[in-house]
Amino acid sequence: MLAGLIFATEDAGDRPGVLAATLPFGGMTLLEYQARLLVGAGAGHILVAVTRMTPALLGAVSRAAKRGVPVDVVRSPEEAAAKVHPLASVVVVADGLVTTDDVVDRVAGEGKDAVVVTQEPSASLERLDARYCWAGVARAPAQRLADIAAFPADYDFQSTLLRAIVQAGAEQIPLPASAVRAGHGVEREGAALASRSNAVLAALTERRTSWADRHVFTRIARLVLPKVVEKALPGWLLTAGGVLLGGGAVALVAAGWPWGAAVALPGVAALATGAALSALRGEDKRASAQETLIAVISAVVLLALGAAESRADATWDGLILALVTVAATAIGERTQARVRRWWGSPAAYLLLVVPFAIAGRVSWGLAAVAAYAFITLAAAVESRREKP
């Protein structure tokens, strides 16, 4: 069984009386984000170590518990040891830590004591030895909480637990350089935390691997996401905007204006932005639905272009090319192969066909995306073949 222990004891550096754990982060509080990481790593129980309760902290704990995992507030190692399952493996998250799910996933699971370490003091909390510093994430058996339960009450809970883990011969896990670039670090200043939030958002958008996503829609998402978070816009608004723009593009194409396909591009960008925001908030089903909508909109726009071209030329060529593209893409997605940067994607096909549609050469564009989709499918199937 996996459990999580989040420390929420320190005040924000620029907001006296406000706990750093309750500072805004990505449209939620930092505590909720940390809880989301633990739930995503498989934690079935979360403990929040506090020294005092505030209305903001109470609200954050209540919202974190809505993820379907019980969340208990503890004030001492004794309480924590009493509430956690005695056979659980506990992932410890430092007070004010910003990190990514890759780091937490790397520590989560069964095993002996472990600490994530770094040689960069800017991304750390406490120095462990002359070479390494603690990077704010650790793993320990529940017994470690019982080991420090008898310590005097004036001992710092977080620091004492860390020392007990290290003295137990903890495995040292190096912090990946990519995590630092993605915003990993301890932060208790509101303004600086917002900056780290933007770095985490940027890292989430970078996971989109195809060239169209990475170099076009991801760049748009990186510009728009901080503003969306700052204004606390609901995620459904991005989804609705993407669907409306996609529907508008189809309507324009069906009305005889092929250039209307370009209207779908900002809709895809809105959905890509919404998917990144949903991923940050741990709303995996919504993020998956938004990714699916990108594929659906791209497919419907291509089919509308194909149907309009067939109607104009009195042949089946345009519609057949569009159907080939959609079918090849659907089959390619089912291969579950590791996506290469140059491979096509629904967003890439839409992006490629739009210039042809604007220039009035729809059939050329459909032929290009059909060939591209077929080449991508062939590469995906080849990558799944067992090599002799």
Side-chain angles (χ1 to χ4, degrees), residues 143-180:
Q143 178 60 38
R144 211 62 64 222
L145 293 169
D147 291 344
I148 66 170
F151 279 55
D154 58 347
Y155 276 44
D156 182 78
F157 186 178
Q158 177 176 288
S159 182
T160 303
L161 178 59
L162 173 63
R163 296 302 163 187
I165 294 172
V166 172
Q167 289 174 10
E171 173 191 2
Q172 294 187 341
I173 302 174
L175 178 69
S178 59
V180 178

Side-chain angles (χ1 to χ4, degrees), residues 22 38 71 84 167 176 181 188 194 208 241 289 331 340 359 365:
T22 62
L38 290 170
V71 180
V84 73
Q167 289 174 10
R181 292 194 299 270
R188 300 193 182 101
R208 304 172 65 86
I331 297 171
R340 305 297 182 185

Side-chain angles (χ1 to χ4, degrees), residues 24-386:
F25 184 89
M28 63 189 99
T29 62
L30 180 57
L31 177 83
E32 291 171 75
Y33 175 69
Q34 292 170 332
R36 198 276 286 174
L37 295 178
L38 290 170
V39 172
H45 184 201
I46 296 176
L47 303 175
V48 180
V50 305
T51 53
R52 73 179 194 277
M53 287 298 297
T54 66
L57 181 60
L58 187 61
V61 169
S62 177
R63 290 189 295 273
K66 291 181 180 179
R67 296 187 179 276
V69 172
V71 180
D72 289 322
V73 174
V74 296
R75 296 177 180 271
S76 65
E78 294 93 333
E79 286 188 39
K83 288 182 180 284
V84 73
H85 192 284
L87 299 180
S89 182
V90 182
V91 176
V92 181
V93 178
D95 198 332
L97 179 72
V98 177
T99 189
T100 62
D101 42 14
D102 291 338
V103 176
V104 177
D105 290 345
R106 193 172 182 182
V107 178
E110 302 297 329
K112 63 177 185 178
D113 300 73
V115 290
V116 180
V117 297
T118 179
Q119 294 180 330
E120 298 291 335
S122 60
S124 67
L125 276 168
E126 299 185 37
R127 183 166 290 280
L128 301 180
D129 52 37
R131 186 178 181 186
Y132 290 117
C133 300
W134 183 39
V137 185
R139 181 185 68 232
Q143 178 60 38
R144 211 62 64 222
L145 293 169
D147 291 344
I148 66 170
F151 279 55
D154 58 347
Y155 276 44
D156 182 78
F157 186 178
Q158 177 176 288
S159 182
T160 303
L161 178 59
L162 173 63
R163 296 302 163 187
I165 294 172
V166 172
Q167 289 174 10
E171 173 191 2
Q172 294 187 341
I173 302 174
L175 178 69
S178 59
V180 178
R181 292 194 299 270
H184 181 102
V186 176
E187 191 55 69
R188 300 193 182 101
E189 302 281 342
L193 189 61
S195 177
R196 288 191 185 273
S197 172
N198 293 340
V200 172
L201 287 168
L204 286 171
T205 58
E206 288 293 335
R207 296 181 182 182
R208 304 172 65 86
T209 51
S210 81
W211 64 267
D213 291 321
R214 192 175 184 87
H215 297 295
V216 179
F217 297 110
T218 287
R219 294 183 183 276
I220 295 173
R222 291 179 67 173
L223 292 173
V224 174
L225 266 175
K227 296 180 176 60
V228 171
V229 170
E230 181 182 351
K231 296 183 180 298
L233 295 178
W236 64 263
L237 191 61
L238 291 168
T239 303
V243 172
L244 287 174
L245 288 169
V250 173
L252 288 171
V253 171
W257 292 306
W259 55 262
V263 176
L265 293 179
V268 170
L271 289 168
T273 303
L277 183 60
S278 298
L280 175 72
R281 294 173 175 173
E283 300 168 345
D284 295 335
K285 290 184 178 179
R286 175 174 290 183
S288 178
Q290 288 164 326
E291 295 285 357
T292 301
L293 281 172
I294 291 175
V296 170
I297 288 173
S298 300
V300 174
V301 171
L302 286 172
L303 291 172
L305 285 169
E309 188 69 6
S310 291
R311 186 170 60 248
D313 294 344
T315 67
W316 290 96
D317 296 350
L319 187 57
I320 290 174
L321 288 171
L323 287 171
V324 166
T325 302
V326 173
T329 303
I331 297 171
E333 291 292 323
R334 289 183 62 83
T335 65
Q336 298 181 346
R338 182 178 179 182
V339 178
R340 305 297 182 185
R341 183 70 53 82
W342 64 268
W343 287 7
S345 66
Y349 303 141
L350 181 62
L351 192 65
L352 182 60
V353 81
V354 162
F356 291 97
I358 293 174
R361 300 291 183 178
V362 175
S363 60
W364 293 10
L366 292 173
V369 296
Y372 191 11
F374 187 79
I375 293 171
T376 298
L377 173 60
V381 171
E382 182 65 22
S383 70
R384 296 290 294 174
R385 286 182 56 207
E386 292 187 6

